[in-house]
Amino acid sequence: MSQPTFPPSPEITRAEAIDLLLSSVAMEELGLSHIINAEGEKLQFILGTLPGLTGGNATLEDVLRANGSVRDLLESASQNTILLHAKMASAFNAPVIPGATGATGATGPTAGPIGITGPAGGTGPTGATGATGADGPVGATGANGPSGATGGVGDTGPEGPTGPEGASGPNLTTTNAFAANTVGSTIVLILGTASVPLPNSQLLTPGIAPNGTNTVFTVGPAGRYRISYHINTTLALGLGARLMINGVENEASRLLPAVNTSTYSNEIEVDLTTSSTVALQMFSPLGLGTAILLPGSCGASLTIIRLS
């Protein structure tokens, strides 16, 4: 594996320094891919499935030991990938440094002399006030007109018929579920996808049940359902989130932000058949990624409500 080449002179531009930093991140990612590939070939050799080579007769203890070694290396590679992601994000988001301020230009010439203001004119004499006219006589009060006749009291009409009963509101059935993750699980996307476990704060009515790993929920009754989810991670990541209905992505639930984010939230309404399965999943368009859910709070949650 080759290493990035640095210029012989330490006087490099800021843009060149950022390019070198991105080059080092790329080389480290390439090195990690070679290491992961080597670990896979090691397991193939032990199991005797590597093309062209024949491994020894591995015992169960040998296979378990090799599996533990591969798992430890993948965890280290995942943590290193998080650090490389942060390094790359810092390089992309580096602030722009403004250039030096130019010299101040010379002051322009002052305007010509101001003209002399002429003297103010004198105030003219005030005119005389005219005489007040005499008040006119008060007119006579007119006579009151006759009062009108009092109207009769009308009879009360019969009571009208009772109107039709209004339509019922939306029917929120008793089939619903809520589950969350508050333990800060690490989600490793080795093949590009990983389901989110939801083992905490489960409130499940009859008809909805999780599998053994609390990643897939089977919904018994058919009907129209409202499904919402939330995911909160410790770092902003370039990952996506979605709902898998019967093992197939629900396109309306898919979230893949244009920029890195640490919060994912969406809600859909969907018609489910009998014994449908629902799973909350994170995915990576690059095929590899790691997310750590917020511990001690709502790292992730899933709500399922049958509407009708």
Side-chain angles (χ1 to χ4, degrees):
M1 181 179 66
S2 61
Q3 299 293 330
T5 303
F6 293 89
S9 172
E11 297 180 359
I12 59 176
T13 65
R14 182 170 178 276
E16 291 172 339
I18 293 177
D19 289 341
L20 291 174
L21 179 58
L22 294 176
S23 176
S24 70
V25 171
M27 299 305 293
E28 288 190 63
E29 289 284 2
L30 179 60
L32 286 176
S33 67
H34 286 307
I35 292 173
I36 294 173
N37 183 65
E39 289 299 302
E41 292 182 350
K42 180 172 71 177
L43 282 179
Q44 286 182 291
F45 177 76
I46 292 175
L47 297 176
T49 60
L50 189 65
L53 294 177
T54 303
N57 295 324
T59 64
L60 177 59
E61 182 180 354
D62 293 334
V63 174
L64 292 177
R65 187 182 302 110
N67 184 68
S69 173
V70 172
R71 184 182 62 249
D72 293 341
L73 185 137
L74 289 177
E75 289 180 357
S76 300
S78 298
Q79 296 300 324
N80 194 29
T81 299
I82 294 176
L83 295 177
L84 291 176
H85 184 274
K87 183 189 297 184
M88 182 175 64
S90 298
F92 279 124
N93 298 327
V96 178
I97 301 176
T101 303
T104 304
T107 304
T110 305
I114 298 172
I116 301 173
T117 303
T123 303
T126 302
T129 303
T132 302
D135 294 333
V138 179
T141 302
N144 294 329
S147 299
T150 302
V153 178
D155 297 329
T156 303
E159 183 178 353
T162 303
E165 183 178 355
S168 301
N171 179 23
L172 298 180
T173 69
T174 57
T175 303
N176 56 76
F178 174 82
N181 187 310
T182 61
V183 296
S185 299
T186 299
I187 311 299
V188 180
L189 291 73
I190 296 178
L191 299 179
T193 62
S195 294
V196 178
L198 301 161
N200 310 117
S201 304
Q202 291 186 349
L203 297 174
L204 309 174
T205 61
I208 300 180
N211 64 352
T213 58
N214 295 293
T215 56
V216 178
F217 293 78
T218 300
V219 181
R224 177 159 297 179
Y225 286 80
R226 178 174 296 161
I227 306 176
S228 62
Y229 68 83
H230 299 270
I231 299 177
N232 299 298
T233 61
T234 57
L235 293 174
L237 306 171
L239 303 179
R242 61 191 176 187
L243 291 172
M244 303 295 290
I245 309 296
N246 294 321
V248 179
E249 177 191 66
N250 182 278
E251 187 175 0
S253 71
R254 176 186 177 96
L255 271 182
L256 184 59
V259 297
N260 292 351
T261 183
S262 61
T263 301
Y264 306 80
S265 179
N266 201 353
E267 180 178 88
I268 64 169
E269 289 190 9
V270 62
D271 292 326
L272 300 182
T273 58
T274 302
S275 298
S276 293
T277 59
V278 179
L280 177 57
Q281 189 180 87
M282 298 192 76
F283 66 93
S284 171
L286 301 179
L288 181 67
T290 300
I292 301 176
L293 304 183
L294 281 179
S297 61
C298 181
S301 68
L302 176 68
T303 302
I304 302 173
I305 300 175
R306 184 184 177 197
L307 301 178
S308 62

